[in-house]
């Protein structure tokens, strides 16, 4: 029997570690844990979520939380972010939207998401001119990046359902950051297409007709779902879009800070080993490469794969 506070080892998956980019050119990505990904091409940068505060489990469970401007500034300096066009929130839980308004305040970026995300921005004093509301099917463009927002579903067992209906002023209980709208975000660029799919769930048929080369695939809670669910999830998101590379995200213990190596969630919350043992055979079946991202490392997510699309952006 697995002790609930023990956790899977990453050792079996070391061969799947993503390689660092060799040069400065082209589209690059930095993974910041959970589903936070910084994409840039030398001219424009866009960020998903940007969750770097990562308050501990006791504070989340029994206290109030707030974003750390110090930690956001440190991340900006470490990543050498000189400008940022947009911060995009997959949904409005604290592990996605807690720090996003601070990135916008620090860089002048637009905060992009649902009305719930906008109310989180308003609570931290973001002006209306820095808020961009999107709905299913909306497309926004920043430089060579075109982002299409597609309605999705939060993973099973949503602890904080509902919407944020008024400006949210921290510190507040973690449950105040309610889900709002969950999005899957298709990022089109002249080099290819990247799908940011943060939550391990799907709307049947929602991605029909969409194509992606690489997917940052949310796998949180998949280890607690029936194997049939994971198969359907793979087929609806990965097989449907024709992706050739999958980068699992939202598997790490986000109660631990980014100043230490990432560790999987304890068995009490999830089972990454079970997830990977089911996901890897599907990837092998479909000829899809699986790579495990490392925090902070500059990678080239589209490098070495034949593009399945011809994006017009």
């Amino acid at each position: 029997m697995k002790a609930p506070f023990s956790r899977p080892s990453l050792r079996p998956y070391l061969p799947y570690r993503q390689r660092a980019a060799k040069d400065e050119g082209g589209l690059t990505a930095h993974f910041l844990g959970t589903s936070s990904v910084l994409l840039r091409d030398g001219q424009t940068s866009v960020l998903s979520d940007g969750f770097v505060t990562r308050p501990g489990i006791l504070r989340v469970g029994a206290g109030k939380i707030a974003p750390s401007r110090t930690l956001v500034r440190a991340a900006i300096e470490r990543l050498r972010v000189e400008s940022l066009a947009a911060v995009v929130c997959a949904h409005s839980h604290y592990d996605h939207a807690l720090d996003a308004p601070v990135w916008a305040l620090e860089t002048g970026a637009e905060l992009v998401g649902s009305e719930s995300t906008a109310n989180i921005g308003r609570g931290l004093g973001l002006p209306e001119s820095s808020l961009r509301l999107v709905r299913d099917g909306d497309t926004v463009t920043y430089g060579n990046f075109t982002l299409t927002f597609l309605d999705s579903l939060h993973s099973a067992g949503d602890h904080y359902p509902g919407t944020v209906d008024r400006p949210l002023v921290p510190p507040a209980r973690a449950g105040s950051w309610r889900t709002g709208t969950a999005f899957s975000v298709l990022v089109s660029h002249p080099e290819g297409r990247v799908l940011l799919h943060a939550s391990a769930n799907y709307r049947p048929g929602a991605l029909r007709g969409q194509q992606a080369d690489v997917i940052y695939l949310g796998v949180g809670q998949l280890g607690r779902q029936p194997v049939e669910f994971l198969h359907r999830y793979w087929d609806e998101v990965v097989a449907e879009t024709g992706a050739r590379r999958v980068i699992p995200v939202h598997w790490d213990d986000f109660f631990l800070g980014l100043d230490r190596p990432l560790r999987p969630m304890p068995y009490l919350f999830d089972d990454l080993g079970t997830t990977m043992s089911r996901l890897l055979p599907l990837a092998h079946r479909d000829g899809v490469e699986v790579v495990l991202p490392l925090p902070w490392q500059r990678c080239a997510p589209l490098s070495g794969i034949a593009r399945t699309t011809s994006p017009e952006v």
Side-chain angles (χ1 to χ4, degrees), residues 228-250:
E228 295 81 9
F229 177 88
L230 186 146
H231 281 229
R232 292 195 303 271
Y233 178 53
W234 178 274
D235 288 342
E236 286 278 351
V237 179
V238 181
E240 184 66 51
T241 58
R244 309 318 305 159
R245 177 175 294 150
V246 161
I247 304 172
V249 296
H250 222 322

Side-chain angles (χ1 to χ4, degrees), residues 4-117:
F5 287 101
S6 64
R7 63 186 80 226
S9 171
L10 286 179
R11 187 175 298 276
Y13 314 113
L14 295 182
Y16 297 95
R17 287 178 296 182
Q18 193 171 23
R19 296 179 181 179
K22 293 182 179 180
D23 55 55
E24 295 292 333
L27 180 66
T28 61
H30 291 79
F31 175 60
L32 304 179
T34 55
S35 56
S36 297
V37 180
L38 175 67
L39 295 172
R40 47 188 173 184
D41 64 1
Q43 297 179 336
T44 307
S45 302
V46 295
L47 173 69
S48 66
D49 299 341
F51 177 56
V52 296
T53 295
R54 296 165 72 103
I57 189 170
L58 292 179
R59 182 168 295 279
V60 169
K64 294 183 177 182
I65 61 174
S68 169
R69 201 152 188 164
T70 299
L71 288 175
V72 173
R73 286 173 176 164
I76 290 171
E77 292 177 4
R78 180 170 182 173
L79 295 167
R80 299 180 182 177
V81 177
E82 297 179 358
S83 64
L84 188 63
V87 186
V88 176
C89 288
H91 56 268
S92 300
H93 284 169
Y94 82 89
D95 56 327
H96 298 264
L98 179 71
D99 295 327
V102 180
W103 284 86
L105 287 166
E106 290 289 325
T107 65
E110 285 192 323
L111 178 63
V112 188
S114 68
E115 181 68 28
S116 291
T117 294

Side-chain angles (χ1 to χ4, degrees), residues 41-224:
D41 64 1
Q43 297 179 336
T44 307
S45 302
V46 295
L47 173 69
S48 66
D49 299 341
F51 177 56
V52 296
T53 295
R54 296 165 72 103
I57 189 170
L58 292 179
R59 182 168 295 279
V60 169
K64 294 183 177 182
I65 61 174
S68 169
R69 201 152 188 164
T70 299
L71 288 175
V72 173
R73 286 173 176 164
I76 290 171
E77 292 177 4
R78 180 170 182 173
L79 295 167
R80 299 180 182 177
V81 177
E82 297 179 358
S83 64
L84 188 63
V87 186
V88 176
C89 288
H91 56 268
S92 300
H93 284 169
Y94 82 89
D95 56 327
H96 298 264
L98 179 71
D99 295 327
V102 180
W103 284 86
L105 287 166
E106 290 289 325
T107 65
E110 285 192 323
L111 178 63
V112 188
S114 68
E115 181 68 28
S116 291
T117 294
N119 274 325
I120 294 168
R122 292 178 181 118
L124 280 171
L126 267 182
E128 292 297 318
S129 59
S130 295
L131 303 175
R132 180 173 290 218
L133 299 180
V134 289
R135 296 178 176 83
D136 182 35
D138 284 355
T139 295
V140 296
T141 298
Y142 301 96
N144 283 322
F145 292 98
T146 296
L147 284 58
T148 301
F149 293 80
L150 304 165
D151 273 359
S152 189
L153 291 174
H154 190 272
S155 55
D158 185 347
H159 293 294
Y160 308 130
T163 56
V164 182
D165 298 324
R166 58 182 59 86
L168 174 52
V169 180
R173 297 283 187 183
S176 302
W177 281 263
R178 298 187 177 275
T179 312
T181 302
F183 291 112
S184 185
V185 185
L186 181 62
V187 181
S188 299
H189 188 272
E191 293 189 24
R193 295 188 178 185
V194 176
L195 182 66
L196 304 173
H197 191 88
S199 294
N201 209 338
Y202 63 93
R203 289 189 183 276
L207 294 172
R208 190 168 298 130
Q210 304 292 344
Q211 292 181 303
D213 301 299
V214 173
I215 301 178
Y216 284 88
L217 185 71
V219 298
Q221 297 290 306
L222 277 184
R224 300 169 68 95

